[in-house]
Amino acid sequence: MNKKHSKEFKAKVAIEALRGEKTVQEIAQKFEVHPNQVTLWKKQLIENATSAFDKKDNAKETIETEKKQDELYRQIGQLKVENDFLKKKYRQLYGTEPKL
């Protein structure tokens, strides 16, 4: 059975493994996870450590992503209104639902 662990839990385990004060086996027993999982989380922490210092880039990307998402939602809303309008007019003209 797979357990879902929070990001905070994973970070805590990975940091303890990174310190090297205990063996991977000891850490795995302490936190009740498989030793392979401890090794994987430690590897992920090391690979992604540089992103912790990219706050400006992450903030810019987040803002840009939110702007794009807002624009797409606006377009979806506009297209839905147009589509509903055209369906209504088609029913008025032909008395049936449009065949797609």
Side-chain angles (χ1 to χ4, degrees):
M1 186 165 78
N2 292 337
K3 290 183 181 179
K4 300 261 181 178
H5 298 288
S6 68
K7 291 186 243 181
E8 293 81 14
F9 177 79
K10 292 176 184 179
K12 183 178 179 180
V13 173
I15 289 171
E16 189 155 336
L18 195 59
R19 285 185 185 143
E21 296 171 357
K22 297 181 182 177
T23 66
V24 171
Q25 187 65 35
E26 291 172 336
I27 295 168
Q29 287 176 348
K30 178 181 175 183
F31 292 103
E32 298 176 356
V33 294
H34 196 277
N36 290 345
Q37 196 66 58
V38 174
T39 305
L40 177 66
W41 291 340
K42 178 181 174 185
K43 181 180 175 185
Q44 288 174 347
L45 177 66
I46 292 169
E47 289 174 355
N48 298 319
T50 57
S51 64
F53 301 104
D54 294 338
K55 288 183 181 179
K56 287 185 181 180
D57 292 339
N58 288 339
K60 287 180 184 177
E61 287 176 15
T62 302
I63 291 170
E64 289 176 16
T65 302
E66 288 174 358
K67 284 181 182 179
K68 286 180 185 178
Q69 187 177 20
D70 289 343
E71 174 63 21
L72 290 172
Y73 281 133
R74 188 193 63 73
Q75 288 177 3
I76 289 170
Q78 181 179 352
L79 291 172
K80 180 158 177 42
V81 168
E82 291 173 5
N83 195 22
D84 290 344
F85 173 79
L86 292 173
K87 283 182 184 178
K88 183 178 176 183
K89 289 298 176 187
Y90 187 92
R91 271 182 284 186
Q92 288 176 349
L93 289 172
Y94 300 105
T96 62
E97 291 288 322
K99 295 182 171 74
L100 301 173

